Amino acid sequence: DLYFSFETSSEESDYYESVFPSKNGDSSLSNSESEGSKNGYEYMVSQEEDRQPDDIQQDQLSIEELDDLIDNPPVDEESSDESMYSIIAYDPEYNKKKEMDDELDNLVYELRKQDTGVIIKDRRRALSFHKRCCVGEEVIDWLMVYLEISREEAMECAQLLLDTHRLYNVPRSHNPISDTRKLYRFQPDFSHSKVMNKIKIWTLPPRHVSVVSSDLNSLIYDIYMKYMDIDGNTLDIVTLAKSHEMREFALKTCELQRVDLHSLTGKEKLAFFINIYNILVI
C-alpha cells in the first residue's frame, strides 16, 4: 500500500478533513486511524486487497531490464488506447476548468508579488501572532484595481480564491470572504508549503499517471535546455529559481497529490516512482 503522509497543526486539521473526506462520506477519522495519526493524517492513495504479496520483490530484475522498464513502462493491452492517457485531458469541459485554474494561479502570483501585490507580513491580533498574512479589504481593493472590476465583483473573485483553497481564513474557518480588516493567508505562505507540491491544493480531476509523469519530464527537459550552460556542467540556479518555468513546474507537481495508483501493476508503479524520483531530484 502507498500512503502520502504529512504533518498538520491543530489549526489546519478541520480543513484537511473537509478536502479529503473518508470514503464513507464521514470526515471523522476512525479510532484506529486517529490513534495512529495524532499529529498528522495519512491518506491512502491505493489499496490492493487482492494484490500478489511482494509483487515487486519477487521479480529479480537485472540492471538492463530495469533500464528498459524505466524507458518503456509496461502497458496493459486493454488500456493501451487513448483512454489510458485519460480522455479527461481532451474533454472541452476539463480544458475550460484548467484555463480557469491557471488564471487563478496567475492571480495569486500577482497578489503575492512583493512590490506590486498586497502587503503580506506577520501580524498580531489580540494575544495571537499570525505569520505571513494579508488583510481582507486590501485584497478586495487590489482586485478592483488590477482587474478593473466593481467591489461586488472583487468580492466574488476573492470568494472564489477561498472556495478553491488558494486563500484561507486566519484562524482557520469556513466563513465567507469579509471586506474588513480580517486576516487571510495564501496557500504558498503556510510553512508546510515549502514542500514543492503543496504550493497549491489540486482540485481538478487527476489525469493518468503516465501523462502526469510525461508532462513533468518535458518541463524539466525544457528547463535544462534553457538554463544549462553550453558545456552542460553548470545550471543557473539563481535565475531558474525566479523563472516562470520553475513556477510552472512547481504547480504541475501538485497534481501528484491526486494521481490514481490503484490500477497500476507492481512494475508500472516501480517505473512511475523511479521516473518521478529522477525528475524531482533533478
Side-chain angles (χ1 to χ4, degrees), residues 33-139:
E33 288 174 318
S34 60
E35 290 175 1
S37 341
K38 292 182 179 179
N39 295 321
Y41 293 100
E42 294 182 337
Y43 296 101
M44 187 164 66
V45 177
S46 68
Q47 180 180 4
E48 302 177 58
E49 297 177 355
D50 56 349
R51 62 177 275 185
Q52 295 297 323
D54 301 323
D55 182 30
I56 296 177
Q57 289 79 354
Q58 290 180 358
D59 295 333
Q60 300 298 324
L61 301 177
S62 66
I63 294 178
E64 292 76 12
E65 290 174 327
L66 186 58
D67 288 339
D68 182 66
L69 178 63
I70 295 171
D71 295 333
N72 304 287
V75 176
D76 185 354
E77 294 182 358
E78 295 181 358
S79 60
S80 59
D81 59 3
E82 186 183 58
S83 64
M84 174 186 174
Y85 299 99
S86 179
I87 294 178
I88 194 171
Y90 308 99
D91 181 14
E93 188 64 27
Y94 175 85
N95 291 332
K96 183 178 180 180
K97 292 179 180 178
K98 184 64 173 65
E99 290 177 5
M100 166 98 43
D101 196 67
D102 291 341
E103 289 178 4
L104 291 176
D105 288 338
N106 291 330
L107 189 59
V108 170
Y109 175 73
E110 296 294 335
L111 272 162
R112 296 181 62 249
K113 275 188 175 179
Q114 186 172 356
D115 298 327
T116 58
V118 295
I119 299 175
I120 299 174
K121 64 180 183 180
D122 299 345
R123 302 172 189 267
R124 184 178 295 277
R125 290 293 170 88
L127 298 178
S128 299
F129 183 74
H130 306 284
K131 293 184 176 182
R132 297 193 58 75
C133 297
C134 57
V135 176
E137 65 180 6
E138 293 179 1
V139 172

Side-chain angles (χ1 to χ4, degrees), residues 6-279:
F6 52 89
E7 297 297 322
T8 59
S9 65
S10 58
E11 184 182 281
E12 299 166 347
S13 60
D14 290 341
Y15 160 70
Y16 285 112
E17 290 195 20
S18 66
V19 176
F20 302 100
S22 58
K23 291 184 178 179
N24 60 12
D26 185 1
S27 62
S28 61
L29 294 172
S30 66
N31 292 335
S32 60
E33 288 174 318
S34 60
E35 290 175 1
S37 341
K38 292 182 179 179
N39 295 321
Y41 293 100
E42 294 182 337
Y43 296 101
M44 187 164 66
V45 177
S46 68
Q47 180 180 4
E48 302 177 58
E49 297 177 355
D50 56 349
R51 62 177 275 185
Q52 295 297 323
D54 301 323
D55 182 30
I56 296 177
Q57 289 79 354
Q58 290 180 358
D59 295 333
Q60 300 298 324
L61 301 177
S62 66
I63 294 178
E64 292 76 12
E65 290 174 327
L66 186 58
D67 288 339
D68 182 66
L69 178 63
I70 295 171
D71 295 333
N72 304 287
V75 176
D76 185 354
E77 294 182 358
E78 295 181 358
S79 60
S80 59
D81 59 3
E82 186 183 58
S83 64
M84 174 186 174
Y85 299 99
S86 179
I87 294 178
I88 194 171
Y90 308 99
D91 181 14
E93 188 64 27
Y94 175 85
N95 291 332
K96 183 178 180 180
K97 292 179 180 178
K98 184 64 173 65
E99 290 177 5
M100 166 98 43
D101 196 67
D102 291 341
E103 289 178 4
L104 291 176
D105 288 338
N106 291 330
L107 189 59
V108 170
Y109 175 73
E110 296 294 335
L111 272 162
R112 296 181 62 249
K113 275 188 175 179
Q114 186 172 356
D115 298 327
T116 58
V118 295
I119 299 175
I120 299 174
K121 64 180 183 180
D122 299 345
R123 302 172 189 267
R124 184 178 295 277
R125 290 293 170 88
L127 298 178
S128 299
F129 183 74
H130 306 284
K131 293 184 176 182
R132 297 193 58 75
C133 297
C134 57
V135 176
E137 65 180 6
E138 293 179 1
V139 172
I140 305 300
D141 291 338
W142 187 94
L143 290 172
M144 287 180 62
V145 174
Y146 184 79
L147 299 176
E148 299 180 353
I149 55 179
S150 67
R151 200 161 196 83
E152 291 74 17
E153 291 171 325
M155 288 277 289
E156 293 177 2
C157 184
Q159 182 62 47
L160 186 58
L161 295 178
L162 272 179
D163 295 340
T164 55
H165 312 296
R166 290 172 168 85
L167 188 67
Y168 300 87
N169 288 280
V170 177
R172 285 290 181 88
S173 71
H174 296 288
N175 294 330
I177 195 72
S178 175
D179 190 5
T180 63
R181 299 297 295 175
K182 191 180 184 313
L183 297 182
Y184 294 89
R185 182 181 294 128
F186 292 103
Q187 169 69 17
D189 292 316
F190 285 100
S191 58
H192 66 249
S193 293
K194 292 179 181 179
V195 178
M196 180 182 290
N197 76 327
K198 287 187 179 179
I199 63 173
K200 67 174 283 187
I201 301 298
W202 194 267
T203 56
L204 293 173
R207 299 175 298 168
H208 192 277
V209 292
S210 61
V211 180
V212 177
S213 178
S214 177
D215 279 359
L216 291 176
N217 187 62
S218 297
L219 282 172
I220 204 67
Y221 177 81
D222 292 341
I223 286 174
Y224 259 62
M225 291 297 99
K226 183 173 182 178
Y227 294 96
M228 183 72 74
D229 63 7
I230 297 178
D231 59 13
N233 295 325
T234 306
L235 190 65
D236 187 355
I237 298 295
V238 176
T239 305
L240 173 60
K242 301 177 182 179
S243 68
H244 168 76
E245 289 85 358
M246 194 61 200
R247 183 170 70 91
E248 182 182 1
F249 177 76
L251 289 171
K252 289 279 188 180
T253 63
C254 295
E255 190 170 2
L256 293 172
Q257 297 167 7
R258 296 193 62 193
V259 290
D260 179 16
L261 306 179
H262 182 75
S263 60
L264 301 184
T265 65
K267 287 187 177 181
E268 287 174 334
K269 289 177 184 177
L270 179 61
F272 170 74
F273 279 110
I274 290 176
N275 280 321
I276 289 298
Y277 173 82
N278 288 333
I279 290 169

